[in-house]
């Protein structure tokens, strides 16, 4: 059974004595969340070159003045490289064993001491200014997923089933966790509230963990995620071996995501995802004024 906090928000009973861990705590008492974040990068590609996307990502994220530390969740079949293989950074770097499970990225981690988690795929391409802006937005909405790559669901009356689309439109109901902020409390809910069968499905297919996290958060908040401005679109770069074998190039990968949406909706007993057209941009973003007046100049240059 769930317990209620003031305002009608729901929490698991085993965590009801630890209000400081709830993203809802801030909303009810008017207290701001922490001013730093922990980046968790999900790595599956063996490290063979210093020019791989993850190296650039490490530099970009570590330059954020809000970054407390970076955790690399090593989920490759090959052993993690020695610490000397990683670039020097101004923040602590921790490399942990992902146990080769897709859901390991959402396991509670004692090393995460910040309220905010920045979840990243190893091939995510962002600027430091994009990271900074998204984090400041999250601090205003600590109960939501805040990030960049949007997706959406829809009802297909011909198939009498839910559908999933990756088309870029103004309407969305999912923000992918390959580049998104959320509260660390959702690691506990993902691990201890969701049934083992759903987590096993994600691990078996190596797919849909981002969709499942969106289902979970929207079921708790009854609100959509929040998309923030970005330069063009979420970019996924091919591995050094090329695009062959990458999951998103396989049609079965998309079909699995369609099936996941229906499986998750069936377990929840309803469709918790909420549609939105809301996007937050920096002040003067794309306005025809001098770039010198803009705080996030890089977002418009690239």
């Amino acid at each position: 059974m769930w317990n209620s906090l003031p305002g009608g928000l729901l929490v698991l009973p085993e965590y009801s004595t630890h209000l400081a861990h709830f993203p809802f705590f801030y909303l009810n008492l008017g207290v701001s969340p922490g001013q730093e974040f922990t980046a968790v990068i999900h790595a599956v590609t063996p490290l063979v070159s210093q020019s791989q996307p993850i190296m650039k990502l490490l530099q970009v994220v570590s330059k954020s003045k809000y970054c407390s530390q970076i955790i690399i969740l090593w989920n490759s079949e090959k052993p993690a490289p020695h610490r000397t293989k990683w670039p020097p950074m101004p923040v602590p770097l921790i490399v942990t064993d992902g146990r080769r499970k897709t859901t390991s990225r959402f396991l509670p981690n004692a090393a995460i001491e910040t309220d905010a988690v920045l979840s990243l795929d190893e091939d995510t391409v962002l600027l430091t200014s994009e990271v900074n802006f998204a984090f400041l937005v999250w601090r205003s909405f600590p109960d939501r997923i805040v990030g960049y790559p949007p997706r959406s669901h829809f009802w297909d009356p011909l198939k009498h089933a839910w559908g999933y689309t990756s088309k870029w439109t103004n309407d969305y109901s999912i923000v992918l966790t390959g580049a998104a902020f959320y509260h660390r409390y959702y690691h506990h809910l993902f691990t201890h509230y969701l049934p083992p069968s759903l987590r096993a499905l994600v691990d078996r297919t190596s797919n849909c963990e981002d969709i499942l996290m969106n289902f979970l958060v929207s079921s708790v908040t009854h609100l959509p995620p929040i998309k923030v401005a970005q330069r063009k679109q979420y970019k996924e770069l091919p591995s050094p071996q090329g695009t062959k074998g990458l999951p998103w190039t396989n049609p079965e990968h998309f079909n699995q995501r369609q099936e996941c949406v229906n499986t998750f909706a069936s377990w929840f007993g309803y469709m918790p995802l909420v549609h939105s057209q809301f996007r937050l941009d920096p002040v003067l973003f794309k306005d025809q004024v001098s770039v010198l007046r803009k705080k996030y100049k890089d977002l418009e240059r690239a």
Side-chain angles (χ1 to χ4, degrees), residues 28-295:
N28 288 287
L29 298 186
V31 179
S32 298
Q35 299 186 18
E36 293 183 319
F37 68 82
T38 298
V40 178
I41 302 176
H42 191 238
V44 297
T45 305
L47 192 63
V48 296
S49 170
Q50 292 297 309
S51 63
Q52 286 178 226
I54 191 173
M55 293 301 190
K56 173 65 174 178
L57 182 61
L58 286 170
Q59 297 291 350
V60 165
V61 174
S62 66
K63 288 179 182 177
S64 170
K65 61 183 178 180
Y66 305 112
C67 183
S68 172
Q69 64 177 338
I70 298 176
I71 298 175
I72 295 179
L73 193 63
W74 190 256
N75 212 334
S76 173
E77 294 182 357
K78 293 189 176 181
H82 189 269
R83 179 62 182 87
T84 57
K85 297 294 184 180
W86 300 102
M89 290 178 295
V91 298
L93 175 67
I94 302 173
V95 181
T96 62
D97 180 13
R99 287 179 260 180
R100 301 178 190 173
K101 290 184 177 181
T102 305
T103 54
S104 60
R105 69 191 300 167
F106 296 139
L107 284 174
N109 190 326
I112 300 176
E113 298 180 349
T114 60
D115 296 322
V117 176
L118 172 57
S119 175
L120 295 164
D121 287 341
E122 62 183 1
D123 52 6
T124 301
V125 178
L126 291 171
L127 297 175
T128 304
S129 56
E130 288 177 295
V131 173
N132 289 341
F133 177 69
F135 175 65
L136 293 179
V137 170
W138 176 85
R139 292 190 75 239
S140 296
F141 303 93
D143 56 335
R144 311 241 213 137
I145 296 176
V146 175
Y148 300 97
R151 298 292 185 265
S152 189
H153 75 288
F154 63 93
W155 177 255
D156 188 332
L158 297 179
K159 296 181 179 180
H160 298 284
W162 294 105
Y164 170 87
T165 177
S166 58
K167 291 182 179 180
W168 282 73
T169 66
N170 291 331
D171 188 270
Y172 68 92
S173 58
I174 295 170
V175 165
L176 302 186
T177 54
F181 283 95
Y182 56 82
H183 196 283
R184 63 173 174 172
Y185 175 62
Y186 288 119
H187 282 178
H188 292 277
L189 292 190
F190 192 95
T191 302
H192 299 294
Y193 171 63
L194 295 177
S197 60
L198 294 188
R199 298 196 301 274
L201 170 64
V202 169
D203 287 330
R204 184 172 64 252
T205 60
S206 297
N207 200 350
C208 303
E209 78 282 359
D210 46 4
I211 299 177
L212 184 54
M213 179 59 91
N214 274 266
F215 264 73
L216 174 62
V217 175
S218 288
S219 73
V220 171
T221 64
H222 305 294
L223 295 167
I226 294 179
K227 174 172 168 48
V228 292
Q230 61 192 131
R231 289 164 293 158
K232 290 184 179 179
Q233 65 180 41
Y234 178 63
K235 301 174 182 178
E236 293 172 313
L237 298 181
S239 67
Q241 292 78 26
T243 59
K244 183 178 180 181
L246 293 178
W248 54 85
T249 63
N250 185 350
E252 182 59 26
H253 180 79
F254 184 82
N255 292 336
Q256 286 175 347
R257 293 175 76 78
Q258 296 263 23
E259 294 174 3
C260 283
V261 169
N262 286 279
T263 300
F264 299 160
S266 176
W267 183 83
F268 278 90
Y270 74 111
M271 172 50 73
L273 298 178
V274 180
H275 284 281
S276 176
Q277 294 186 355
F278 182 65
R279 189 184 81 185
L280 285 175
D281 298 344
V283 174
L284 300 179
F285 182 68
K286 297 294 186 180
D287 285 357
Q288 298 301 313
V289 298
S290 171
V291 71
L292 297 178
R293 296 176 58 189
K294 302 185 179 187
K295 183 177 180 180

